[in-house]
Amino acid sequence: MSGALSHIRVLDLSRILAGPWAGQMLADFGAEVIKIERPGNGDDTRGWGPPFIQGSEAETSEAAYFHAANRGKQSVAVDMAKAEGQAIIRELVKVSDVVLENYKVGGLKRYGLDYDSLKVLNPRLVYCSITGFGQNGPDAHRAGYDFMIQGMGGLMSVTGEPDGMPMKVGVALVDVMTGLYAANAVQAALLHREESGVGQYIDLALLDVQVATLANQAMNFLASGQSPGRLGNAHPNIVPYQAFPTIDGHIIVAVGNDQQFKRFCEVAGQPELSSDALFITNQKRVENRAVLIPLLLPLMQQHTTQQWMEKLSDVGVPCGPINTIGQVFEEPQVKHREMKVSLSHRDAGVVPSVANPVKFSKTPITYHQAPPVLGEHSAHVLESILGMDSTEIEILCNQGVIQRG
């Protein structure tokens, strides 16, 4: 195994999306990631379909959703409700660097798999807990899901048309961002361990992440005391910065400064707009949005999307189409950056995956395998890491403690 984190072993006890996304990121960076799953059905998202990635046997399939967040991992199916299963996990903890988990607050304590219990076995352990609301506070024991956190955390209040219903983002963005924060936090804790020799506990909440990533919208409120509203595809702080209808579709125009606005007006055949006192600076354009946009709408409907793309690109005005996901993977730039990769899967042969966007110069990402079949690596991990022999493994299988894929 190669990669920047090839010396790190991670026990991924998480399921669904936020925790697995963090585990996949660490696996992409070279870490050995052992995914601990319950026997039987494993991670909930294995069944979150259709669509499914179909194996060679009709009964073997995993949802595409599962494949989105579990690349490069080894699957060990262990029943942690059994004492023998708990013992296996504790033995793995002794020789691991990181634990990822997203159980409810206190959920792992009854199994003796909480941080306070495990740090006694391995003081160097970095233990990252992901919950909906964090480990303390009045909502700590509530379950939290991406959709409800997008609403509670304010994202939906600024998403959607002004006169329409508040809308969630089309992907589970809070989960994805929480996974990214988790991967960052784990690596920071590992760097701290290099200096101090000891691990630490990381408490990460979906709600906290959503609040933190409100970004400029949160600061707009803190600076003004006014809660931002929904602007559809428009930008609260830059004008014109939105989608416009064309003859045959839509185009996104992202004018980021006054010079770009001047060039935009020239291409649109209305150069005098850029020198109008109402629109001469971005501040003025934001203040007079309701005047400017109605003037631009009929201009934008004079050409096709492709014609606008060519005209605006020629003068350096940022613009782009609104692609379907199918069109995204046909974009020449996306192809050039190799954002679609093919991975080896035990049952399905070769399956597609979305590449990691990070391009390292010294430790390039190597894609070792597709997401694993449930329990695919149970025997291998117990034998190679814990030193169990085939007889011991067979007994554990017969007792229902582990499941082999």
Side-chain angles (χ1 to χ4, degrees), residues 51 72 87 156 183 240 271 376:
M156 290 177 63
E376 179 177 345

Side-chain angles (χ1 to χ4, degrees), residues 8-13 26 93-101 113-116 118-129 181-194 196-203:
I8 298 298
R9 177 178 290 144
V10 178
L11 287 188
D12 184 358
L13 277 62
L26 298 172
V93 164
K94 291 178 183 179
V95 292
S96 296
D97 301 283
V98 178
V99 167
L100 297 172
E101 64 93 3
L113 299 176
D114 57 302
Y115 175 65
D116 287 337
L118 296 183
K119 72 177 180 181
V120 176
L121 303 176
N122 183 356
R124 291 173 57 82
L125 185 67
V126 172
Y127 190 111
C128 180
S129 292
Y181 269 92
N184 272 302
V186 163
Q187 291 173 89
L190 289 171
L191 287 172
H192 175 263
R193 191 183 71 174
E194 291 298 306
S196 67
V198 296
Q200 62 180 294
Y201 182 75
I202 300 168
D203 170 11

Side-chain angles (χ1 to χ4, degrees), residues 100-290:
L100 297 172
E101 64 93 3
N102 62 349
Y103 284 76
K104 292 180 181 179
V105 172
L108 290 180
K109 187 175 180 63
R110 58 178 171 158
Y111 302 130
L113 299 176
D114 57 302
Y115 175 65
D116 287 337
S117 299
L118 296 183
K119 72 177 180 181
V120 176
L121 303 176
N122 183 356
R124 291 173 57 82
L125 185 67
V126 172
Y127 190 111
C128 180
S129 292
I130 298 172
T131 56
F133 297 93
Q135 298 295 310
N136 48 50
D139 291 329
H141 290 276
R142 291 180 61 189
Y145 292 89
D146 181 278
F147 186 10
M148 59 181 284
I149 298 298
Q150 286 195 35
M152 188 174 181
L155 183 59
M156 290 177 63
S157 76
V158 293
T159 305
E161 292 297 329
D163 55 352
M165 185 177 182
M167 298 295 292
K168 69 178 181 66
V169 179
V171 296
L173 192 61
V174 184
D175 278 337
V176 170
M177 292 188 298
T178 301
L180 295 175
Y181 269 92
N184 272 302
V186 163
Q187 291 173 89
L190 289 171
L191 287 172
H192 175 263
R193 191 183 71 174
E194 291 298 306
E195 298 294 325
S196 67
V198 296
Q200 62 180 294
Y201 182 75
I202 300 168
D203 170 11
L204 195 57
L206 297 180
L207 181 61
D208 294 351
V209 169
Q210 178 55 83
V211 174
T213 53
L214 288 173
N216 61 299
Q217 293 283 42
M219 286 308 303
N220 287 348
F221 165 73
L222 293 176
S224 69
Q226 300 295 316
S227 291
R230 299 188 300 280
L231 291 172
N233 289 315
H235 195 288
N237 301 109
I238 312 172
V239 175
Y241 195 106
Q242 64 181 74
F244 288 96
T246 64
I247 287 177
D248 60 349
H250 292 82
I251 187 172
I252 293 170
V253 177
V255 171
N257 57 54
D258 297 336
Q259 284 301 311
Q260 288 177 1
F261 182 63
K262 181 179 179 180
R263 295 196 295 272
F264 167 78
C265 293
E266 290 170 351
V267 169
Q270 297 289 331
E272 66 278 4
L273 286 178
S274 63
S275 58
D276 190 307
L278 293 176
F279 315 131
I280 196 167
T281 66
N282 180 69
Q283 179 178 341
K284 289 294 185 181
R285 293 193 294 276
V286 172
E287 292 171 353
N288 296 289
R289 179 196 307 267

Side-chain angles (χ1 to χ4, degrees), residues 34 41 48 51 82 91 104 113 121 134 150 174 177 191 196 206 213 218 282 336 340 350 354 361 388-389 400 404:
I34 300 171
N41 296 321
W48 282 14
K82 297 180 183 293
E91 288 302 308
K104 292 180 181 179
L113 299 176
L121 303 176
Q150 286 195 35
V174 184
M177 292 188 298
L191 287 172
S196 67
L206 297 180
T213 53
N282 180 69
H336 179 83
K340 177 184 174 182
V350 176
V354 182
S361 66
M388 292 186 182
D389 60 33
R404 288 183 290 197

